[in-house]
Amino acid sequence: MRPILHGYRYSVYVRIARLVLEEKGVAYQRAEVNPFAADVPAAYLALHPFGRVPALVHDGFALYETGAITRYIDRAFPGPALQPEAPRRLARMDQIIGVVDAYAYWPLVRQVFVHDVLRPSTGANGDPAELEQGLASASKALDALETLAANDRWLTGPDLSLADLHLGAMIAYFAQSPRGAALLAARPRLAGWWRQLARRPTLATTDPGLPS
């Protein structure tokens, strides 16, 4: 039975899960859930008691939290392995994902992308103070990731890993900001990595566009 991915089309974390499913070649179904709605369905809250996205259901097995979902997909389905076997590379993958979640997501997406791209695209004004704070915090996060990135094709070595897809979903939004793109271009390892990742067909397949 095909897994069902529940989540909001424009969510970075839903896109991370979709990228992993696509890279593994897993056929799946999607169920749209807007976590920002006033009336999140009770059936969804039964899957995810905190009302966030995504959640995955596979043959009656329900799972939430993006990191758990992506690791499960990699282990449960055939296709290219997305977790390194070497202990140090695997540890680096986990570290990069942790850094991205703790220190990069908010400034890259919720501050720079939202206030420099998303709000203007809908005719609203971004908050300059939020944008400036986001750019400063994004610089620090990108510096850390530039240091952690392997001197190789991908973030943890020669093979694509979950770390690439986790960060990639956020950079796909962040780099739409001219200011964000400039910060990324100033980090040569990350800039080269992003040029490669952006060309992968799965990035186009999972592109949610911007809300109308």
Side-chain angles (χ1 to χ4, degrees):
M1 185 176 178
R2 291 184 178 187
I4 303 172
L5 182 68
H6 298 255
Y8 184 50
R9 173 185 177 90
Y10 301 106
S11 164
V12 163
Y13 284 95
V14 170
R15 190 176 188 184
I16 292 168
R18 292 187 66 203
L19 282 166
V20 175
L21 287 161
E22 296 287 346
E23 289 286 348
K24 293 288 287 187
V26 178
Y28 64 100
Q29 297 174 268
R30 290 195 58 237
E32 186 72 9
V33 177
N34 184 352
F36 303 107
D39 55 345
V40 176
Y44 183 71
L45 294 175
L47 292 176
H48 196 320
F50 300 101
R52 294 188 175 184
V53 292
L56 184 81
V57 179
H58 179 222
D59 288 340
F61 177 64
L63 192 63
Y64 62 88
E65 290 303 306
T66 305
I69 290 170
T70 57
R71 287 170 175 84
Y72 172 76
I73 293 166
D74 189 43
R75 295 165 185 155
F77 295 95
L82 296 175
Q83 297 179 85
E85 291 187 6
R88 291 186 179 182
R89 287 186 175 173
L90 182 60
R92 187 69 80 206
M93 182 199 83
D94 289 336
Q95 182 185 24
I96 289 172
I97 290 172
V99 168
V100 168
D101 285 341
Y103 309 112
Y105 166 70
W106 193 267
L108 267 62
V109 178
R110 299 300 292 270
Q111 291 180 306
V112 175
F113 170 71
V114 167
H115 292 281
D116 207 27
V117 179
L118 181 59
R119 286 194 177 182
S121 77
T122 62
N125 292 323
D127 184 330
E130 281 289 312
L131 175 58
E132 289 305 315
Q133 185 181 48
L135 290 168
S137 297
S139 293
K140 185 173 183 179
L142 292 174
D143 283 343
L145 292 166
E146 178 80 357
T147 300
L148 293 175
N151 287 310
D152 215 318
R153 187 178 184 193
W154 301 111
L155 292 177
T156 61
D159 301 312
L160 188 78
S161 81
L162 297 179
D164 299 294
L165 304 176
H166 210 92
L167 177 58
M170 300 185 193
I171 295 294
Y173 272 160
F174 178 71
Q176 293 182 48
S177 159
R179 297 166 182 82
L183 290 179
L184 184 64
R187 278 84 181 169
R189 288 188 197 175
L190 290 179
W193 160 83
W194 174 242
R195 284 193 295 270
Q196 291 189 100
L197 187 65
R199 292 195 294 265
R200 292 186 77 84
T202 54
L203 266 290
T205 301
T206 61
D207 185 357
L210 294 176
S212 57

